[in-house]
Amino acid sequence: MANTDNEGRKFLESVHQFFDHAASYSKLDPGILAQIKTCNSVYKVSFPVEIDGRVEVFEGIRVQHSHHKLPSKGGIRFSMQVDEDEVKALATLMTFKCAVVDVPFGGAKGGVKINPRTSSVKTLEKVTRRYAAELIKRNLIGPGMDVPAPDYGTGSREMAWIADTYQALKYGETNALGCVTGKPVGQGGIRGRAEATGLGIFYGIREAFSDSDLMRKAGIEGNTMEGKRIIVQGLGNVGYNAAHFCQQDGALIIGIAEREGGIYNPNGIDVAEAFKHRSETGSILNFGQCKNFENSAELLEEECDVLLPAALENQIHADNAARIKAKIVAEGANGPVTRDAEKILLQKGIIIIPDLYINAGGVTVSYFEWLKNLSNVRFGRMGKRAEEASHRRLVNAIESASGKSMSTHERNLLIQGSDEISLVRSGLEDTMINAYHEIRGVMNRKDIEDMRTAAFLSAIEKIGVSYEALGIFP
């Protein structure tokens, strides 16, 4: 799963090829299309940090792809394989991802060359805060400018450090917590953010299964998740939560692929227990009655209804695409299918649910967190009790008119008001459903065969409208 500079370049070229193909369906001015395609700004920095009495120099980067809407938005990844082309590709995808799900952000991405697995917590904190300071002093971060989030190698801990650094250097700024999302709940984060990407993937796959025309094309019977066979690559936050919610809805997780190998059981794998096993042993291998795959890439080639690559980019490429036997590939990761591989998969009749739609749950709930930080009030705090009082009056009226009493469980179920987690999940579900039908609508109107081209075109048209409304200044 290791990345290289060459792979980063391939990833960027792949994204540009997807864009160019979708843009060929657009009637926007070629100059506007060129502006939509290119990255607006790239900032690279080297900074010193003292580690155990020695000075080490770290490399950081922040790319802002589009300013058609502000702030720009995108994660920060910590990895020794971070390179400029990879970050440009991810920032570009973020722009279109936000547009597809109607989140009013431009795309951005950042990264620092550091190995989070071999670095101490103290080192990670120093590097994170120094990187944040470099962005802050150049006005490259802020609630109205650019709002980072977690990505590969980072999490809520690093986001809390960034928020604290921002508050220290921008003392007294009312909306300071809105400078970054993915924070712990106690530090201005939002309930439901941790599982948001995985839950969004579940909503997207579930909506695809309810699409009779698409399922007929894919050769899948039944319009529910029940009994569908899924192979997941990557048991990190995204892969685990996506698999967990699909399993809860009746799907069979028959394979899990990780960097050290993979496991397979046609009768289904308990995802939570497999995760626990890996945490305790350090490996996904030798779990229960599962068959081991020493080379996890081979597991991707097993028969299944849905293949869910939720690890890194370029995992399905020209060399292995012909051996993929899934009926649907749902891109939980960013860019797991190359352009060359996509052509092969589509020729085989495999449905691809593209990354810029299916894994947009994270940025959607990040948007909700940003709104919460700007309003400085928890969702549901002001309305929950009033809603419950209204429901209680309605239940009392029903009992009075019918002459029958409900059980305590039934009353509590009907009376319960909306709290933050239920509002967040409701907003995410609505977003994923609406975006799915927008993409399918574009496919039908423009006679486009694949979902990725339709998703890109939907995003391009929305961004084009923004540029045309704003005008070109000066």
Side-chain angles (χ1 to χ4, degrees):
M1 295 184 186
N3 189 26
T4 67
D5 289 350
N6 188 47
E7 285 180 333
R9 194 176 310 115
K10 285 182 181 177
F11 184 20
L12 181 59
E13 289 171 356
S14 186
V15 172
H16 284 166
Q17 287 169 357
F18 290 135
F19 174 89
D20 290 339
H21 179 61
S24 68
Y25 289 87
S26 175
K27 295 181 180 179
L28 288 169
D29 184 282
I32 293 294
L33 289 172
Q35 173 58 38
I36 294 172
K37 179 179 178 179
T38 192
C39 286
N40 284 12
S41 60
V42 179
Y43 174 66
K44 299 176 77 173
V45 62
S46 295
F47 53 87
V49 176
E50 185 180 338
I51 309 294
D52 298 327
R54 295 178 293 104
V55 174
E56 293 187 29
V57 177
F58 293 86
E59 295 178 29
I61 185 170
R62 186 70 181 171
V63 174
Q64 294 175 350
H65 172 261
S66 180
H67 295 134
H68 74 286
K69 290 184 184 294
L70 287 177
S72 49
K73 186 87 183 73
I76 294 172
R77 58 175 49 189
F78 283 2
S79 168
M80 292 305 296
Q81 282 75 46
V82 166
D83 74 278
E84 183 175 334
D85 285 335
E86 177 196 47
V87 178
K88 281 182 176 179
L90 292 165
T92 304
L93 274 177
M94 278 300 299
T95 291
F96 302 117
K97 189 179 298 185
C98 291
V100 162
V101 293
D102 291 319
V103 169
F105 293 143
K109 208 74 177 185
V112 177
K113 279 194 176 181
I114 183 173
N115 189 335
R117 292 190 182 87
T118 59
S119 301
S120 68
V121 173
K122 183 179 179 182
T123 297
L124 288 171
E125 180 174 2
K126 282 188 171 185
V127 171
T128 301
R129 289 182 180 273
R130 181 58 190 266
Y131 173 67
E134 293 290 333
L135 298 180
I136 293 164
K137 66 187 180 185
R138 288 166 178 80
N139 203 30
L140 291 170
I141 181 175
M145 178 56 65
D146 188 359
V147 181
D151 196 83
Y152 184 78
T154 62
S156 59
R157 179 184 63 184
E158 286 77 14
M159 298 308 107
W161 290 335
I162 293 174
D164 183 63
T165 305
Y166 187 88
Q167 286 179 304
L169 297 178
K170 299 278 189 177
Y171 188 74
E173 187 174 311
T174 307
N175 297 325
L177 282 175
C179 75
V180 66
T181 60
K183 303 179 294 295
V185 172
Q187 299 297 323
I190 195 167
R191 291 160 182 83
R193 175 61 183 87
E195 69 272 22
T197 306
L199 182 57
I201 290 169
F202 161 69
Y203 288 142
I205 294 175
R206 188 190 65 184
E207 201 61 23
F209 279 134
S210 71
D211 186 338
S212 298
D213 290 340
L214 195 73
M215 290 303 100
R216 197 176 302 113
K217 183 179 177 183
I220 293 176
E221 295 183 3
N223 293 118
T224 68
M225 194 76 75
E226 189 69 36
K228 301 300 187 296
R229 301 163 302 149
I230 299 176
I231 293 176
V232 181
Q233 182 193 36
L235 203 60
N237 179 54
V238 176
Y240 173 79
N241 281 297
H244 169 72
F245 287 112
C246 288
Q247 189 175 59
Q248 276 194 330
D249 206 42
L252 288 177
I253 309 302
I254 62 171
I256 300 173
E258 260 295 348
R259 63 175 61 84
E260 69 273 7
I263 55 174
Y264 176 82
N265 187 335
N267 298 316
I269 299 168
D270 187 314
V271 177
E273 288 300 316
F275 183 84
K276 181 181 176 183
H277 168 78
R278 187 168 188 253
S279 299
E280 292 174 347
T281 67
S283 173
I284 195 73
L285 299 173
N286 303 313
F287 173 69
Q289 303 300 312
C290 295
K291 174 185 175 181
N292 285 337
F293 279 73
E294 296 297 330
N295 181 0
S296 65
E298 294 177 0
L299 180 55
L300 308 186
E301 300 167 12
E302 291 293 314
E303 285 191 20
C304 60
D305 295 306
V306 179
L307 175 59
L308 176 56
L312 292 174
E313 57 268 12
N314 301 334
Q315 298 301 298
I316 301 174
H317 41 77
D319 295 333
N320 67 356
R323 298 191 296 273
I324 300 297
K325 301 182 187 71
K327 296 174 181 177
I328 296 173
V329 174
E331 295 186 314
N334 289 312
V337 179
T338 67
R339 176 65 174 153
D340 290 339
E342 173 150 300
K343 292 176 183 177
I344 296 169
L345 297 181
L346 293 177
Q347 286 172 355
K348 294 180 65 176
I350 295 172
I351 301 296
I352 300 173
I353 308 179
D355 48 6
L356 69 163
Y357 161 66
I358 197 69
N359 71 23
V363 74
T364 299
V365 176
S366 280
Y367 170 51
F368 299 159
E369 181 179 335
W370 180 73
L371 290 175
K372 175 185 178 180
N373 296 151
L374 296 189
S375 64
N376 288 288
V377 64
R378 183 182 76 246
F379 291 139
R381 179 172 181 173
M382 296 177 67
K384 183 173 186 288
R385 298 300 177 185
E387 191 178 328
E388 289 180 350
S390 176
H391 293 168
R392 188 175 291 108
R393 288 192 293 271
L394 181 60
V395 167
N396 289 342
I398 292 171
E399 287 183 330
S400 178
S402 66
K404 297 180 180 179
S405 296
M406 297 181 186
S407 68
T408 301
H409 175 70
E410 289 172 332
R411 281 182 64 87
N412 290 339
L413 199 62
L414 291 172
I415 288 171
Q416 184 180 19
S418 298
D419 55 10
E420 185 168 86
I421 186 70
S422 59
L423 289 168
V424 164
R425 290 186 172 181
S426 171
L428 175 58
E429 182 177 15
D430 185 64
T431 297
M432 297 304 292
I433 290 172
N434 288 342
Y436 180 87
H437 290 287
E438 274 192 5
I439 293 167
R440 292 290 281 138
V442 171
M443 291 176 73
N444 293 331
R445 288 195 305 275
K446 297 284 188 175
D447 196 25
I448 294 172
E449 289 295 319
D450 65 288
M451 293 185 72
R452 189 191 311 280
T453 301
F456 262 101
L457 181 59
S458 174
I460 289 168
E461 296 292 331
K462 290 175 184 178
I463 297 166
V465 167
S466 292
Y467 274 117
E468 289 177 342
L470 291 170
I472 304 299
F473 176 80

